[in-house]
């Protein structure tokens, strides 16, 4: 079924609806329920007593919130139900790295468990404060994959009203979230990475991308055309080195359906 890799053991060979064991909830994944998203989030804070390093495959049907002062490291595959997302709060950190199996290196992977987009990563922070790991949320990717998300990573505080009132920018307010990505792959996302406006004096933004691949390889879920791989609003400077931006989807695809590589403004 969707979201289950070939050599992954299920909970009950006699039940066709029994999926793999879910180490987040300590229960069997029921395939019939795997595409239902709960409103009850999984919060990674001082009360979360399980391992903060996820090396086994996980099937998540709710939002994950990484609270300030806490770190979650993903080394395996994490499959998300439609709309479920990861929220990295100010001072929190998400790390995507890799694991070894049978003398092979496998990257961490965040992906969808169904034929719908998952929500991606909301990287929160304080748009009025110095850019550091105390004031801002941080995502570090070292040979990891993010795919099939509405937006793989976005620096935004969703639902937050600006100080003094007013209309939130893109249904939220900007953040100074930090993204450090090396040898990362952003694949078949509606939008790859988006930065909302952030400036702190003349300081150079701490985010960077080194040797990363931004790509569209096939038709996207929900039959939507891709937007852009990298969208940047209002930063002083952003380091992008040795990266590849491409749409290699085969077939009769109109140019306007292939999306943009880099959209950089102000």
């Amino acid at each position: 079924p969707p979201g289950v890799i070939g050599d992954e053991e299920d909970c009950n060979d006699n039940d066709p609806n029994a999926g793999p064991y879910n180490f987040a909830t300590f229960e069997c994944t029921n395939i019939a329920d795997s595409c239902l998203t709960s409103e009850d989030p999984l919060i990674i804070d001082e009360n979360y007593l399980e391992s903060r390093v996820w090396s086994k495959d996980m099937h998540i049907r709710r939002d994950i919130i990484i609270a300030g002062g806490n770190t979650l490291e993903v080394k395996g595959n994490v499959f998300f139900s439609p709309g479920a997302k990861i929220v990295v709060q100010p001072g929190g950190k998400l790390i995507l790295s890799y694991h070894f199996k049978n003398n092979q290196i496998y990257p961490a992977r965040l992906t969808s468990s169904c034929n719908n987009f998952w929500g991606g990563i909301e990287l929160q922070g304080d748009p009025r404060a110095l850019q550091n790991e105390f004031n801002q949320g941080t995502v570090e990717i070292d040979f990891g994959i993010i795919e099939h998300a509405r937006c793989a990573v976005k620096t935004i505080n969703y639902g937050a009203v600006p100080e003094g009132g007013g209309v939130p920018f893109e249904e939220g307010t900007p953040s100074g979230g930090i993204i450090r990505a090396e040898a990362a792959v952003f694949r078949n996302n509606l939008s790859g990475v988006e930065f909302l406006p952030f400036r702190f004096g003349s300081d150079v933004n701490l985010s960077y991308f080194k040797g990363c691949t931004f790509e569209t390889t096939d038709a996207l879920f929900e039959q939507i055309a891709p937007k852009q791989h990298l969208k940047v609003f209002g930063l002083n400077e952003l380091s992008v080195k040795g990266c590849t931006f491409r749409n290699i989807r085969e077939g009769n695809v109109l140019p306007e359906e292939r999306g943009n590589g880099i959209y950089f403004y102000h």
Side-chain angles (χ1 to χ4, degrees):
V4 178
I5 57 179
D7 61 351
E8 190 173 13
E9 296 182 2
D10 66 19
C11 292
N12 184 352
D13 288 337
N14 297 315
D15 181 359
N17 287 322
Y21 188 72
N22 190 325
F23 289 90
T25 60
F26 300 103
E27 61 184 12
C28 280
T29 299
N30 189 304
I31 298 305
D33 297 332
S34 64
C35 293
L36 300 177
T37 302
S38 170
E39 295 182 358
D40 182 28
L42 171 63
I43 302 176
I44 310 296
D45 60 8
E46 62 274 7
N47 297 315
Y48 183 76
L49 303 180
E50 308 306 322
S51 174
R52 307 293 181 91
V53 180
W54 291 0
S55 298
K56 296 182 178 295
D57 290 351
M58 309 285 281
H59 293 256
I60 303 296
R61 302 194 302 274
R62 51 183 171 163
D63 292 349
I64 298 174
I65 299 176
I66 304 175
N70 293 268
T71 298
L72 174 65
E73 183 173 5
V74 176
K75 292 177 172 288
N77 297 297
V78 181
F79 301 94
F80 290 89
S81 58
K85 64 183 178 180
I86 301 175
V87 178
V88 185
Q89 295 182 339
K93 180 185 285 189
L94 172 66
I95 301 174
L96 303 184
S97 54
Y98 51 86
H99 66 281
F100 292 91
K101 183 178 180 180
N102 299 326
N103 296 320
Q104 298 283 333
I105 299 177
Y106 294 90
R109 183 166 65 115
L110 306 181
T111 188
S112 171
S113 62
C114 306
N115 293 320
N116 301 89
F117 292 114
W118 67 285
I121 301 169
E122 176 185 337
L123 190 54
Q124 297 184 345
D126 189 341
R128 302 159 298 174
L130 179 68
Q131 196 182 41
N132 57 40
E133 292 189 5
F134 178 79
N135 296 324
Q136 318 295 349
T138 302
V139 171
E140 292 185 355
I141 308 175
D142 180 12
F143 192 44
I145 299 171
I146 304 177
E147 61 184 8
H148 302 309
R150 287 201 172 274
C151 182
V153 189
K154 190 171 187 176
T155 61
I156 189 171
N157 303 304
Y158 272 112
V161 177
E163 184 176 356
V167 179
F169 183 82
E170 295 191 15
E171 299 182 354
T173 56
S175 81
I178 302 168
I179 306 171
R180 301 188 182 105
E182 190 162 357
V185 177
F186 302 90
R187 178 183 298 136
N188 292 334
N189 300 295
L190 181 58
S191 184
V193 177
E194 295 188 17
F195 288 89
L196 270 64
F198 175 80
R199 284 190 174 97
F200 193 85
S202 60
D203 291 353
V204 173
N205 199 286
L206 296 182
S207 297
Y208 62 77
F209 300 86
K210 296 181 180 179
C212 298
T213 300
F214 297 77
E215 63 181 7
T216 303
T217 63
D218 205 345
L220 300 187
F221 288 157
E222 304 174 24
Q223 302 303 308
I224 302 176
K227 294 182 177 179
Q228 62 278 312
H229 290 310
L230 179 61
K231 181 179 181 180
V232 183
F233 277 177
L235 301 188
N236 282 330
E237 182 177 321
L238 180 67
S239 177
V240 181
K241 297 182 178 181
C243 295
T244 298
F245 298 83
R246 63 191 180 192
N247 186 319
I248 54 175
R249 177 185 171 187
E250 296 181 349
N252 186 19
V253 184
L254 298 175
E256 59 267 25
E257 295 176 341
R258 290 192 176 274
N260 296 310
I262 301 175
Y263 183 87
F264 212 102
Y265 175 74
H266 194 43

